[in-house]
Amino acid sequence: MTGTPAEAPRAPLLRVRRAALALALSGAALSLSAPPAAADSSACTHHFSGPQICVRLDGQGDRNAVTALWTNPPAHLSSRVVSLSRNGRVVSTVLATRAGKALSHTWPPAYTGSGTELCVKFRGSARVACQTTR
């Protein structure tokens, strides 16, 4: 017998692919049906040009650390004043500093409660990013 060897059966390979696809789809379905996290969330301004400002909440329950981010500041800026507002009232004003390409500041974890609107605003920008705690 000369020539090319017999082609290996494809059935086992197809079963493996189908099993992998079924596993991936079941994982996606579970992630879509999972409830949202109690804290750990973020929100950004949604403008195609100009400053991109974000607020991020990290915490457990009603205690959160709040991070203000300016993701695309001008290259010459190494710091900028940023304010944190709680339900429309400024509660803190600090200096955000450059970390890589972004300006940021993180306030330490504190009681934020639920249903509280937390907003950050960088001086010199009209954009405000807000996130409501759950």
Side-chain angles (χ1 to χ4, degrees), residues 9-32:
R10 296 184 67 195
L13 180 59
L14 289 175
R15 276 187 289 220
V16 170
R17 285 183 180 170
R18 283 185 192 138
L21 178 61
L23 184 61
L25 290 175
S26 66
L30 282 175
S31 68
L32 291 174

Side-chain angles (χ1 to χ4, degrees), residues 31-42:
S31 68
L32 291 174
S33 65
D40 298 349
S41 60
S42 64

Side-chain angles (χ1 to χ4, degrees), residues 11-120:
L13 180 59
L14 289 175
R15 276 187 289 220
V16 170
R17 285 183 180 170
R18 283 185 192 138
L21 178 61
L23 184 61
L25 290 175
S26 66
L30 282 175
S31 68
L32 291 174
S33 65
D40 298 349
S41 60
S42 64
C44 295
T45 56
H46 296 288
H47 298 276
F48 294 110
S49 63
Q52 180 72 26
I53 309 297
C54 300
V55 60
R56 184 175 65 218
L57 306 179
D58 295 300
Q60 295 290 330
D62 55 8
R63 287 187 57 81
N64 289 283
V66 179
T67 300
L69 293 161
W70 183 350
T71 63
N72 62 343
H76 70 278
L77 285 183
S78 60
S79 62
R80 182 57 62 105
V81 171
V82 62
S83 296
L84 171 64
S85 297
R86 180 182 175 138
N87 292 329
R89 289 181 45 176
V90 175
V91 294
S92 178
T93 301
V94 296
L95 189 66
T97 56
R98 187 173 284 276
K101 293 183 179 184
L103 295 178
S104 68
H105 177 77
T106 300
W107 286 269
Y111 175 78
T112 54
S114 62
T116 304
E117 183 183 56
L118 299 168
C119 299
V120 296

